[in-house]
């Protein structure tokens, strides 16, 4: 199977503002490095990381919205802007903010057709697009502020579907939604995936969003992929100590299973203070001297399963509740 | 000893009846959770607990803190209680502090009722920052809020709330703005603090995980009412109200492994400008029948456990 989207050795640096010092080059800050993974057609790929891990930057780089080095291939070919814009779509984290407040829903969701000069015969109607995400046609006349949180999400999904993309990038698709309707959006994404063969890249800091929906996941820490693999395997047997502590940090609603102690302390260091060696060594419960000096590489340790850790394959399940 | 006693609290904003007769208690040394989804009235309740309802709110009922009714007291008396006997930790610590004053200046200001020299107040502030786990308290006192990370800010907000040793600490979604590893650390901190804070702690949250990790007892709210109350164990392992059951079933943490369809609660909240005369959940309830059109009884299941539902049997 050829990959739908291939990322190989992606690197993103950002120019820091020069500030008041008039001499010297303004410093460049490394955000992402050595990112490699593949997205297959029709799969849900979860990208997990905490604030500051670079997950949103990675999505933006994949859409050509920030300059990056490395190889990015969409449907086997190098990226072209037009191909990318029409073949991919984004559902932004804040749905209301991503809709123009002065545009009615109906106009907003068919705007992609005008932008891409799609012939009239190939356009779907606003009512049709709304129907695909389970919304009544009457909603087309509403303004974004008249929508509920769940409706706004669906409207953004409708707009994302307008150009029949092969890949939809969903940034925190359930952020700000009540538990009782989170499932609604995730079920809608599952339907679209099944009925239209859509692939989803779901970006989130919330593992529980992925546990029930993702086929494969990748874990990002401070701009490095630390672990990738099939979601069920990674959840059942996390190999990287960071993945294990993320899973163990999830609060458990069952009071009989309260954690006695913390799985992880401290917080993600700033990008300006990137630790030497393995980026995770400052918080890693297993770190040894080598981790402080030598950066591990991402290597495949089993088919479809990659890990960036010197202490590879050490079973960390005993620290994970099941 | 009962610190907080709320009786039949009703709050409306114009035609919207946000809170429709809530009653709850919290004792010293206890952590009580108030859980519910958007629109259930939990934020309205939280603001009433610290005597700060919105100016346009119409309030009736009683909110007694250490025996004094915040609803009936004049505003000057409420001000004397707020920040001293009752304190709050807000969801967003960035907006809870003043951005142009250092943390130290603000923590000293918060102790303005304390008859002590400034140096002593600064020392108390530093000790409290150390207690909540800020690594270098003396340095932190000289920092502005934007210089602290999200987790550090939330720790500072907790320190600020505890400075005057309040009888009642209200925390409104204290971990919602945080990443999961920081959330776990704040939960851990609150659990530690309850041991030397002898007051009552009320946690307002939408997150059942936070309740499970932290609370002794829970009140589940729906459409401005407390629909079920019980110990955290009773609510998690023996939920009686259909809404509580549906809510727990939707929680992703409750679902093992990969599923085809995630459960949801179909339908939506009733219009709170004209709430139904009977059970507010009936329109979405799988067990609803004709009798649900009349107000449901509060059925006691155990001395600590009760649910507002026609279907619940003692």
């Amino acid at each position: 199977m050829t990959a739908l989207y291939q990322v190989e050795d992606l690197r993103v640096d950002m120019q820091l503002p020069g500030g008041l010092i008039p001499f010297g080059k303004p410093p460049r800050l490394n955000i992402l490095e050595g990112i490699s993974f593949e997205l297959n057609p029709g799969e849900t790929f979860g990208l997990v990381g905490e604030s500051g891990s670079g997950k949103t930057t990675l999505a933006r780089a994949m859409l050509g919205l920030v300059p990056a080095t490395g190889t990015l291939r969409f449907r086997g070919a190098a990226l072209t802007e037009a191909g990318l814009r029409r073949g991919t779509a984004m559902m932004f984290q804040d749905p209301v903010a991503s809709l123009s407040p002065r545009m009615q829903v109906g106009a907003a969701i068919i705007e992609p057709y005008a932008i891409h000069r799609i012939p009239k015969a190939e356009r779907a109607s606003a009512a049709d697009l709304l129907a695909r995400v389970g919304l009544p046609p009457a909603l087309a006349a509403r303004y974004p502020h008249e929508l509920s949180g769940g409706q706004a999400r669906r409207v953004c999904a409708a707009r994302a579907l307008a150009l029949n993309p092969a890949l939809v990038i969903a940034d925190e698709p359930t952020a700000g939604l009540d538990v009782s309707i989170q499932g609604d959006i995730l079920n809608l994404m599952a339907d679209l995936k099944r009925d239209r063969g859509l692939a989803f890249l779901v970006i989130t800091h919330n593992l529980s969003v992925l546990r029930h929906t993702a086929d494969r996941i990748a874990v990002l820490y401070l701009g490095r992929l630390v672990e990738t693999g099939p979601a069920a395997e990674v959840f059942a047997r996390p190999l990287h100590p960071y993945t294990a502590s993320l899973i163990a940090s999830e609060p458990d609603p069952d009071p009989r299973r309260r954690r006695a102690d913390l799985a992880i302390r401290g917080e993600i260091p700033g990008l300006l203070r990137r630790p030497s060696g393995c980026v995770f060594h400052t918080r890693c419960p297993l770190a040894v001297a080598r981790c402080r000096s030598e950066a591990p590489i991402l290597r495949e340790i089993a088919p479809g399963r990659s890990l960036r850790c010197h202490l590879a394959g050490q079973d960390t399940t005993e620290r994970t509740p099941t | 000893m009962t610190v907080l006693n709320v009786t039949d609290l009703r709050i409306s904003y114009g035609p919207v009846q946000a809170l429709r007769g809530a009653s709850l208690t919290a004792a010293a040394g206890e952590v009580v959770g108030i859980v519910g989804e958007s629109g259930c009235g939990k934020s309205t309740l939280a603001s009433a607990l610290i005597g700060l309802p919105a100016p346009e709110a119409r309030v009736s009922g009683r909110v007694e803190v250490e025996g004094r009714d915040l609803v009936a007291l004049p505003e000057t008396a409420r001000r004397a209680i707020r920040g001293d006997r009752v304190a709050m930790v807000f969801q967003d610590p960035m907006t809870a502090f003043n951005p142009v004053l250092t943390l130290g200046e603000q923590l000293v200001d918060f102790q303005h009722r304390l008859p002590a020299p400034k140096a002593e107040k600064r020392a108390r502030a530093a000790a409290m920052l150390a207690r909540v786990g800020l690594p270098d308290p003396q340095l932190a006192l000289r920092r502005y809020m934007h210089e602290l990370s999200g987790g550090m800010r939330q720790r500072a907000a907790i320190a600020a709330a505890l400075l005057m040793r309040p009888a009642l600490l209200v925390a409104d979604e204290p971990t919602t703005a945080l990443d999961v590893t920081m959330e776990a650390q704040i939960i851990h901190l609150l659990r530690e603090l309850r041991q030397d804070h002898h007051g009552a702690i009320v946690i307002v949250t939408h997150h059942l995980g936070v309740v499970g990790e932290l609370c002794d007892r829970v009140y589940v709210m729906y459409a401005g009412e407390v629909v079920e109350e019980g110990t955290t164990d009773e609510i998690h392992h023996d939920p009686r109200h259909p809404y509580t059951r549906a809510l727990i079933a939707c929680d992703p943490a409750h679902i093992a492994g990969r599923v085809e369809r995630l459960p949801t609660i179909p339908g939506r909240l009733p219009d709170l400008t004209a709430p139904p005369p009977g059970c507010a959940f009936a329109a979405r309830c799988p067990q609803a029948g004709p009798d649900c059109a009349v107000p449901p009884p509060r059925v006691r299941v155990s001395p600590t456990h009760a649910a507002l539902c026609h279907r619940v049997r003692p």
Side-chain angles (χ1 to χ4, degrees):
Chain A
M1 186 163 49
T2 49
L4 175 67
Y5 200 120
Q6 210 179 352
V7 179
E8 226 178 273
D9 206 21
L10 177 89
R11 182 186 168 102
V12 174
D13 294 285
M14 276 187 189
Q15 194 82 52
L16 287 179
L20 296 171
I21 305 157
F23 47 83
K25 269 192 197 160
R28 288 184 73 77
L29 182 62
N30 175 239
I31 311 282
L32 296 165
E33 193 182 271
I35 308 285
S36 302
F37 64 92
E38 285 180 358
L39 266 165
N40 297 319
E43 93 173 329
T44 300
F45 190 87
L47 190 60
V48 199
E50 296 184 281
S51 333
S53 62
K55 55 191 191 298
T56 300
T57 305
L58 175 53
R60 294 172 69 90
M62 289 175 66
L63 289 173
L65 298 175
V66 293
T69 59
T71 314
L72 295 175
R73 283 175 198 281
F74 182 57
R75 291 170 164 154
L79 294 186
T80 62
E81 190 161 312
L84 199 62
R85 290 276 186 278
R86 293 186 48 177
T88 60
M90 178 112 180
M91 287 164 61
F92 292 94
Q93 182 167 354
D94 184 342
V96 175
S98 76
L99 294 166
S100 166
R102 300 175 52 168
M103 239 172 153
Q104 289 176 335
V105 162
I109 60 178
I110 57 169
E111 198 187 15
Y113 294 130
I115 292 167
H116 291 275
R117 299 197 177 88
I118 306 290
K120 288 259 173 340
E122 293 169 34
R123 299 184 180 191
S125 69
D128 183 29
L129 287 174
L130 288 174
R132 284 186 213 173
V133 296
L135 290 175
L139 224 67
R142 299 250 190 110
Y143 285 95
H145 72 269
E146 300 172 295
L147 303 173
S148 73
Q151 285 171 337
R153 295 264 164 207
R154 285 173 181 263
V155 166
C156 289
R159 180 175 59 181
L161 294 177
L163 294 173
N164 278 323
L167 170 65
V168 174
I169 298 182
D171 193 355
E172 300 285 5
T174 61
L177 292 182
D178 277 321
V179 193
S180 66
I181 43 178
Q182 274 182 17
D184 247 5
I185 286 293
L186 297 173
N187 288 341
L188 171 68
M189 287 165 59
D191 291 344
L192 293 169
K193 175 183 155 185
R194 189 190 59 226
D195 300 342
R196 303 183 162 266
L198 267 182
F200 278 97
L201 175 65
V202 180
I203 301 168
T204 182
H205 70 280
N206 189 350
L207 281 172
S208 63
V209 168
L210 299 178
R211 192 188 295 271
H212 313 296
T213 57
D215 301 304
R216 289 191 301 138
I217 65 168
V219 183
L220 203 58
Y221 185 80
L222 211 60
R224 310 284 182 265
L225 279 185
V226 297
E227 181 164 6
T228 66
E233 278 179 42
V234 174
F235 277 113
R237 210 167 71 90
L239 294 176
H240 197 283
Y242 177 61
T243 316
S245 48
L246 266 188
I247 294 172
S249 292
E250 281 187 290
D252 195 318
D254 185 348
R256 294 181 193 172
R257 291 194 301 200
R258 278 186 191 172
R259 288 184 304 265
D261 199 19
L262 285 170
I264 186 169
R265 285 170 198 278
E267 53 196 310
I268 194 163
L271 288 167
L272 290 165
R273 282 168 292 145
R274 185 183 292 286
S276 63
C278 172
V279 285
F280 187 58
H281 85 251
T282 51
R283 301 170 78 190
C284 183
L286 310 174
V288 296
R290 184 180 174 204
C291 304
R292 283 181 269 278
S293 55
E294 189 187 331
I297 53 161
L298 187 71
R299 59 205 164 85
E300 192 162 50
I301 48 155
R305 200 129 188 228
S306 302
L307 184 68
R308 188 192 293 274
C309 182
H310 290 308
L311 310 159
Q314 286 199 354
D315 200 336
T316 48
T317 41
E318 75 274 10
R319 303 191 300 116
T320 316
T322 44
Chain B
M1 190 190 68
T2 305
V3 171
L4 173 70
N5 194 0
V6 178
T7 325
D8 196 31
L9 184 63
R10 293 167 189 273
I11 298 183
S12 51
Y13 307 108
V16 180
Q17 302 175 28
L19 213 53
R20 303 185 298 134
S23 297
L24 57 109
T25 63
E30 192 178 36
V31 182
V32 171
I34 295 172
V35 70
E37 299 185 287
S38 331
C40 74
K42 59 186 192 298
S43 301
T44 297
L45 176 57
S47 59
L49 293 186
I50 57 164
L52 264 184
E56 74 275 18
R58 279 202 320 278
V59 185
S60 74
R62 289 213 298 249
V63 179
E64 288 166 319
V65 177
E66 295 182 306
R68 286 190 289 174
D69 181 5
L70 294 185
V71 175
L73 282 177
E75 177 56 20
T76 44
R78 271 207 297 265
R79 280 191 68 174
I81 293 173
R82 256 194 323 260
D84 188 30
R85 305 311 301 151
V86 181
M88 183 139 175
V89 176
F90 293 91
Q91 176 173 350
D92 182 356
M94 189 68 191
T95 54
F97 284 99
N98 187 329
V100 298
L101 295 177
T102 62
L103 178 58
E105 287 168 309
Q106 299 184 61
L107 292 182
V108 169
D109 284 352
F110 294 161
Q111 304 172 62
H112 67 98
R113 285 199 193 87
L114 204 68
K118 201 174 163 192
E120 191 188 316
K121 291 181 181 177
R122 227 177 143 81
R124 275 172 54 105
M128 190 54 87
L129 288 180
R131 180 69 196 85
V132 299
L134 258 79
D136 188 346
Q138 290 300 338
L139 186 67
L141 286 177
R142 296 198 296 274
R143 294 267 188 238
Y144 293 93
M145 296 319 287
H146 73 267
E147 298 177 292
L148 301 176
S149 70
M152 290 300 153
R153 269 182 222 139
Q154 197 54 289
R155 285 177 198 265
I158 293 170
L162 291 176
L163 262 179
M164 298 299 288
R165 308 208 161 274
L168 173 65
L169 176 70
V170 181
D172 186 8
E173 302 277 7
T175 64
T176 304
L178 305 173
D179 277 317
V180 60
T181 60
M182 187 48 65
E183 175 174 56
Q185 293 176 62
I186 294 294
I187 288 174
H188 197 77
L189 171 67
L190 287 169
R191 241 196 251 160
E192 271 175 25
L193 288 173
R194 67 178 293 186
Q195 283 154 17
D196 44 47
H197 168 70
H198 297 294
I201 302 179
V202 173
I203 310 272
V204 179
T205 183
H206 70 284
H207 194 335
L208 291 169
V210 171
V211 170
E213 295 283 353
L214 209 47
C215 299
D216 304 317
R217 288 193 303 118
V218 199
Y219 292 88
V220 181
M221 294 192 60
Y222 182 78
E225 292 176 306
V226 172
V227 294
E228 187 162 2
E229 60 179 278
T231 64
T232 307
D233 199 77
E234 283 166 338
I235 298 291
H236 185 82
H237 290 284
D238 185 24
R240 295 300 187 94
H241 196 283
Y243 174 67
T244 313
R245 292 184 178 191
L247 192 65
I248 292 173
C250 287
D251 186 3
H254 198 76
I255 306 158
R258 227 191 121 102
V259 288
E260 268 309 299
R261 309 297 297 171
L262 286 162
T264 60
I265 305 179
R268 49 168 58 201
L269 270 178
D271 180 3
L272 290 180
T273 59
C279 171
F281 188 61
R284 305 170 78 180
C285 180
Q287 298 176 50
D291 51 336
C292 298
V294 296
R298 194 167 295 278
V299 181
R300 205 146 268 292
V301 181
S302 83
T304 49
H305 191 179
L308 189 69
C309 179
H310 287 290
R311 298 285 170 273
V312 175
R313 297 283 164 265

